[in-house]
Amino acid sequence: MTLCWFLGILVFSYGVFSNGVSKTLPSRPAAVNVGAIFSLNSTIGRVAKIAIDLAVKDVNSDPRVLGGTKLKVMIQDSSCSVFVGIVKALQLMEKDIVAIIGPQSSIIAHVISHIANEFHVPLLSFAATDPTLSSLQYPFLVRTTQSDLFQMSAIAELVDYFQWRQVIAIFIDDDYGRGGISALEDKLAEKRCKISYKAAIRPGTELSQNDIIDILITVALMESRVIVLHSYPDSGLAILSVANHLGMMGNGYVWMATDWLSLVLDCWAPVTSDTMEKIQGVLTTRPHTVDSVKKRSFVSRWSNLTSKMTSASLIGLNAYGLYAYDTVWMIAHAINKFFNEGGTISFSNDSRLHDGKGGTLHLESMTIFNEGKHLLSNILQTNQIGLSGPLQFNPDGFLIRPAYDIINVVGTGFRTIGYWSNYSGLSVELPEKLYMKPPNRSSSNQHLLNVIWPGGMMSTPRGWVFPNNGKELRIGIPDRVGYREFVSQVKGTNLVKGYCIDVFTAAINLLPYAVPYKFIPYGDGKKNPNYDKLVELITTDYFDAVIGDIAIVTNRTKIVDFTQPFIESGLIIVAPIKRLNSSAWSFLRPFTVQMWFVTAAFFLLVGAAVWILEHRKNDDFRGPPKKQLLTILWFSFSTLFFTHRENTVSTLGRLVLMIWLFVVLIIQSSYTASLTSILTVQQLSSHIKGIDSLRTGNDPIGFQVGSFAENYMREELNIPKSRLVALGSPEEYASALENGTVAAVVDELPYIQLFLSSNCKFKIVGQEFTKSGWGFAFPRDSPLAVDMSTAILELSENGELQRIHDKWVTNSGCSSQSPELESNQLHLKSFWGLFLISGLACLLSLFIYFLLMIRQFIRRPREESSISQCSSLSGSLQTFLSFVDEKEESQKRKSERMMEKSSNTTNASSSCH
């Protein structure tokens, strides 16, 4: 690159400025010169040479394209050399060219783009895929192929589709390789995946087999088994050949090659059996080109043409050949549009660019294309259909609708297992069909056909193994002072034990591979360590994992990955308790004060409602006012014991009474059950009822040293730090609660369960107010975390997890007592539905009763002698009340007559006998 920059400085140190027009062609010249630079002896170059020649022939044979002007393409061979490419580009500047096709190499394109910028000559590359070439630094570079930015997006989606999280990248260490891998790294990061190791390969022909062996041995010692190979055909096949020799193409490995491999499969067909044997199961990408009648015709024409050549097996048609063919047509249409818009081709030179010694590089002959920007604009406005598909550029200068075929090398050939498009991701449908539907990139819409992996595997490889480099996992464990049943180190030894240790070893023994590890205690041994800091040490690579009683809380999940919880946890409150003894007023305790008042009110309400509905027809509810009031009180309260003497005769009255008796039955049963419990079962009480009463009070609160409970109470519950008291062991818990240092202790459920198993003076109050669990912490996206989660689930299903729990945690010392304090009082909220139904029944019955009375009042017979016109509201009300009284008297007389008639009938019957 030093030589390249030296040459650039030599040519352009004084700048290139127009001193005058040296040549102007007619408005429609007989021929237009176009340059082309690529390596004629490369895989892409051999195809591109034939494709460009065919395109020029087709353009010139159709007078409608350029209106009689001939397109003349001058092809220069860059010989895969950056220096030669620069020289050839400068030589083309002497030939009055209006555009350059190529180069195919991204490395050469980086340098020649500067020359194109200076001479205002559009540079159309059909094979340079380095994403960095899209920079604003290269305004005259037009990429007529897809950028590796999209190819790497396809590979990243493949990695995510198969649920891998880490890959190893092997790449050529030049602009092409580094640019592509940088794009892959960005795209993987969007999927929460990453490149765990980058293996750079020396570019050029100096790469030896020993170099490849050294690289692959290093890769084989790595954890990931998903390898992305981004190189050139020759070096890529050499790497795969050595990998096959080292046994790295067998079961468990995943190889994904970029489109260089599909290029080999297309151009070298048929590929030798020896080569095919070495690349079995590899996945590769290929630029997708739309199937059309025009394309099929060209493929047939290509086959006829190449069958007559001596090296037919080396020049199969590939996507880059189609891009090269389309590039020529793109230039031709842009030039034609340029002429139609009245443009004329003119060149100018700079007298300061001269070769004083008469060398072969004639600097004074190099000319600037004055209308280069105009032609560039026409090229970027291209909108046509080519052999490869739609030819149109988006505002960023990329061809629209980027898509790739996903290919699996199998047997003696390969098969397409799906497609990737920037529109809908991975699919088994053709991208051009997907563009006719709404975009859908949901995970459920991503599909591929089954893959045959290296080694002939049909199932998807796990994608990683434990590294075979002798390195042990550094596993941090908390050096606890209290609750050592969960995790502790045996003093004087390197042995560790405890509930969490047993779960970890049982889970790791279920893994299908060996995992060497060593435990490293963390803490000073005088107090429990801070668990947040312990987990953070994973992010600094101090620990490879952390196991123990680690709560899965939000701030920790942001920096590490946890396994499936192996025990439920959550913050609860434990407080001292006292016994409640029976008293003379214990019979009032089953109901709250509110419940007593509402019940009494409903007794009166129901009594009054029944009286209103019955007193017209029922003599039991008639009489002097004092008697009626006593009847209401007696009737309502006697229903409590179902001893009411009064019978109900009206339908509405019976409805109200039926519903009320059901309510009384429920209330009576509940009262009896609650009172029985209060008088016969030992009652325990605490002035702390739950987290709300604890938060609003001023009592000191204890918490365990190192627990997340401190931050939770300060940040989430806004409890002042002055109220929080740090406690380090179960003994300190008991002492602080007994002497009143703290009113309650807030800690996680497993600790409290173990504490209460031997301390029966304290009880859990309220409900668990957070939900979490304990898990083992690993670095983000660690595949070991996934496998350990699967193992923990298996332990749970086969009962081993419960057996470990019973071994370390369960203790029946206080198991006979209730784990929580609950109030035995019955609250109104438990009965409001019954009261609502009863109240609605009363109101509805009274409403119907008054509607019937009003209806009878309106239809009453009117005697002329008793008619009185009353216009006032009070008069109407008085008339209505009088009518009610008359109806009552009438009803009473009717009842008396019926009773007399019944009595007479009985007497007559008796006299007959």
Side-chain angles (χ1 to χ4, degrees), residues 675-692:
L675 183 61
T676 302
S677 174
I678 290 173
L679 296 179
T680 60
V681 179
Q682 175 180 272
Q683 300 297 307
L684 304 175
S685 174
S686 171
H687 73 282
I688 297 172
K689 303 302 180 183
I691 187 60
D692 291 331

Short mmCIF file of all heavy atoms in Angstrom, two decimals, residues 675-692:
data_model
loop_
_atom_site.label_atom_id
_atom_site.label_comp_id
_atom_site.label_asym_id
_atom_site.label_seq_id
_atom_site.Cartn_x
_atom_site.Cartn_y
_atom_site.Cartn_z
N LEU A 675 -65.70 -18.44 64.95
CA LEU A 675 -65.68 -18.42 66.42
C LEU A 675 -65.10 -19.72 66.97
O LEU A 675 -64.34 -19.71 67.95
CB LEU A 675 -67.10 -18.20 66.94
CG LEU A 675 -67.22 -18.08 68.47
CD1 LEU A 675 -66.42 -16.89 68.98
CD2 LEU A 675 -68.69 -17.95 68.88
N THR A 676 -65.43 -20.82 66.35
CA THR A 676 -64.87 -22.11 66.78
C THR A 676 -63.34 -22.09 66.67
O THR A 676 -62.63 -22.55 67.57
CB THR A 676 -65.44 -23.24 65.93
OG1 THR A 676 -66.86 -23.26 66.04
CG2 THR A 676 -64.88 -24.58 66.36
N SER A 677 -62.84 -21.56 65.56
CA SER A 677 -61.39 -21.49 65.37
C SER A 677 -60.74 -20.59 66.41
O SER A 677 -59.69 -20.92 66.96
CB SER A 677 -61.08 -20.97 63.96
OG SER A 677 -59.72 -20.76 63.80
N ILE A 678 -61.38 -19.47 66.71
CA ILE A 678 -60.81 -18.53 67.67
C ILE A 678 -60.74 -19.13 69.06
O ILE A 678 -59.76 -18.94 69.80
CB ILE A 678 -61.63 -17.23 67.67
CG1 ILE A 678 -61.42 -16.47 66.35
CG2 ILE A 678 -61.27 -16.34 68.85
CD1 ILE A 678 -62.32 -15.27 66.18
N LEU A 679 -61.75 -19.88 69.45
CA LEU A 679 -61.82 -20.39 70.82
C LEU A 679 -61.06 -21.69 71.02
O LEU A 679 -60.74 -22.06 72.15
CB LEU A 679 -63.29 -20.59 71.20
CG LEU A 679 -64.15 -19.31 71.25
CD1 LEU A 679 -65.57 -19.65 71.61
CD2 LEU A 679 -63.57 -18.29 72.24
N THR A 680 -60.78 -22.41 69.93
CA THR A 680 -60.16 -23.74 70.09
C THR A 680 -58.74 -23.83 69.57
O THR A 680 -57.99 -24.71 69.96
CB THR A 680 -61.01 -24.81 69.38
OG1 THR A 680 -61.09 -24.49 67.98
CG2 THR A 680 -62.39 -24.89 69.97
N VAL A 681 -58.34 -22.95 68.61
CA VAL A 681 -57.01 -23.01 68.02
C VAL A 681 -56.17 -21.88 68.58
O VAL A 681 -56.65 -20.74 68.72
CB VAL A 681 -57.09 -22.90 66.48
CG1 VAL A 681 -55.69 -22.94 65.88
CG2 VAL A 681 -57.94 -24.03 65.93
N GLN A 682 -54.90 -22.16 68.84
CA GLN A 682 -54.01 -21.14 69.37
C GLN A 682 -53.85 -20.01 68.36
O GLN A 682 -53.52 -20.22 67.21
CB GLN A 682 -52.64 -21.77 69.67
CG GLN A 682 -51.60 -20.74 70.13
CD GLN A 682 -50.26 -21.37 70.42
OE1 GLN A 682 -50.02 -21.81 71.53
NE2 GLN A 682 -49.40 -21.45 69.43
N GLN A 683 -54.03 -18.79 68.77
CA GLN A 683 -53.97 -17.62 67.89
C GLN A 683 -52.66 -16.87 68.12
O GLN A 683 -52.26 -16.63 69.27
CB GLN A 683 -55.16 -16.69 68.16
CG GLN A 683 -56.51 -17.35 67.94
CD GLN A 683 -56.67 -17.76 66.49
OE1 GLN A 683 -56.51 -16.94 65.59
NE2 GLN A 683 -56.97 -19.03 66.26
N LEU A 684 -52.03 -16.55 67.02
CA LEU A 684 -50.76 -15.83 67.07
C LEU A 684 -50.95 -14.48 66.41
O LEU A 684 -51.71 -14.35 65.45
CB LEU A 684 -49.66 -16.62 66.36
CG LEU A 684 -49.45 -18.05 66.87
CD1 LEU A 684 -48.42 -18.75 66.00
CD2 LEU A 684 -49.03 -18.07 68.31
N SER A 685 -50.22 -13.48 66.89
CA SER A 685 -50.43 -12.13 66.37
C SER A 685 -49.11 -11.37 66.31
O SER A 685 -48.18 -11.63 67.08
CB SER A 685 -51.43 -11.38 67.25
OG SER A 685 -51.55 -10.03 66.85
N SER A 686 -49.05 -10.44 65.36
CA SER A 686 -47.92 -9.52 65.25
C SER A 686 -48.48 -8.18 64.81
O SER A 686 -49.43 -8.12 64.02
CB SER A 686 -46.89 -10.02 64.24
OG SER A 686 -45.92 -9.02 63.99
N HIS A 687 -47.89 -7.10 65.33
CA HIS A 687 -48.39 -5.78 64.92
C HIS A 687 -48.01 -5.45 63.49
O HIS A 687 -48.53 -4.50 62.90
CB HIS A 687 -47.86 -4.71 65.87
CG HIS A 687 -46.40 -4.40 65.69
ND1 HIS A 687 -45.40 -5.21 66.19
CD2 HIS A 687 -45.77 -3.37 65.05
CE1 HIS A 687 -44.22 -4.70 65.89
NE2 HIS A 687 -44.41 -3.58 65.20
N ILE A 688 -47.09 -6.22 62.89
CA ILE A 688 -46.74 -6.06 61.48
C ILE A 688 -47.59 -7.02 60.66
O ILE A 688 -47.56 -8.24 60.89
CB ILE A 688 -45.25 -6.33 61.25
CG1 ILE A 688 -44.41 -5.31 62.02
CG2 ILE A 688 -44.91 -6.28 59.76
CD1 ILE A 688 -42.94 -5.59 62.01
N LYS A 689 -48.35 -6.50 59.76
CA LYS A 689 -49.28 -7.32 58.98
C LYS A 689 -48.76 -7.64 57.58
O LYS A 689 -49.30 -8.51 56.91
CB LYS A 689 -50.64 -6.61 58.86
CG LYS A 689 -51.26 -6.27 60.21
CD LYS A 689 -51.46 -7.52 61.06
CE LYS A 689 -52.10 -7.19 62.42
NZ LYS A 689 -52.23 -8.38 63.27
N GLY A 690 -47.76 -6.94 57.12
CA GLY A 690 -47.25 -7.16 55.77
C GLY A 690 -46.31 -6.05 55.37
O GLY A 690 -45.93 -5.18 56.17
N ILE A 691 -45.93 -6.04 54.08
CA ILE A 691 -44.94 -5.07 53.61
C ILE A 691 -45.47 -3.64 53.68
O ILE A 691 -44.73 -2.70 53.93
CB ILE A 691 -44.48 -5.41 52.16
CG1 ILE A 691 -43.34 -4.51 51.73
CG2 ILE A 691 -45.65 -5.35 51.21
CD1 ILE A 691 -42.12 -4.59 52.61
N ASP A 692 -46.79 -3.46 53.52
CA ASP A 692 -47.34 -2.10 53.56
C ASP A 692 -47.22 -1.50 54.95
O ASP A 692 -46.81 -0.34 55.10
CB ASP A 692 -48.81 -2.11 53.11
CG ASP A 692 -48.96 -2.43 51.64
OD1 ASP A 692 -48.03 -2.12 50.87
OD2 ASP A 692 -50.00 -3.01 51.25
#
